[in-house]
Amino acid sequence: MGRVMAIDYGHKRVGLAVTDPLQLIATPLTTIHSQELLAYLKAYHEREPLEALVVGMPRTLGNEPTDATSAVVGLVRRLRKEFPAVPVHEIDERFTSRMAHAAMLAGGLGKKDRRDKATVDRVAATIILQSYLESR
């Protein structure tokens, strides 16, 4: 059984989270520059086979596309082209950043750590992945 990886895509940074091999637990992985994403995913997939990719799709409260939605749609197309054997799932990412802040506060992280956008992106990717795991 392969791992499932979640992607919280942003124009500058990408938060990544991954499951354990049994696909039970979502864990923050890393934050990378968006331009390094495909190379990172290819290298990771060679080391640890991915069974699926989950991409957070940005939407407004009214379920309308945001200014970032077109970039994420383009990413999904590239992922499906580069990884034809790996299913790519889209999941609603509304409120994930807010939920990430709340989770970090509840976890006792200090104000400085909660302001670190890379940490927020990793935690948001973890929330996206956990939502996917629970929806299966």
Side-chain angles (χ1 to χ4, degrees):
M1 191 179 253
R3 295 177 187 264
V4 178
M5 182 179 288
I7 301 169
D8 181 33
Y9 186 80
H11 292 293
K12 294 179 184 176
R13 284 177 320 279
V14 179
L16 299 173
V18 69
T19 64
D20 60 300
L22 296 176
Q23 298 180 9
L24 300 173
I25 301 168
T27 307
L29 182 61
T30 189
T31 304
I32 59 172
H33 192 278
S34 60
Q35 305 221 337
E36 301 168 2
L37 178 61
L38 287 177
Y40 182 89
L41 290 176
K42 287 177 186 177
Y44 188 92
H45 186 52
E46 287 178 15
R47 290 188 320 267
E48 295 279 345
L50 293 171
E51 188 169 301
L53 291 166
V54 180
V55 180
M57 188 59 65
R59 309 292 287 178
T60 65
L61 290 177
N63 204 26
E64 299 293 322
T66 69
D67 53 348
T69 303
S70 62
V72 176
V73 168
L75 171 67
V76 169
R77 279 194 207 115
R78 284 197 319 260
L79 291 173
R80 288 184 173 141
K81 182 179 176 185
E82 296 287 332
F83 303 95
V86 179
V88 179
H89 305 281
E90 300 170 20
I91 193 161
D92 187 346
E93 72 164 24
R94 281 180 282 189
F95 303 115
T96 55
S97 291
R98 189 172 295 151
M99 291 167 65
H101 280 287
M104 292 180 343
L105 182 63
L109 282 180
K111 187 181 262 188
K112 182 179 178 186
D113 291 329
R114 291 193 313 264
R115 286 187 180 157
D116 180 16
K117 292 182 181 183
T119 303
V120 174
D121 290 340
R122 282 192 303 276
V123 174
T126 307
I127 291 169
I128 290 167
L129 185 52
Q130 191 63 45
S131 297
Y132 169 77
L133 293 174
E134 291 172 1
S135 71
R136 294 193 296 175

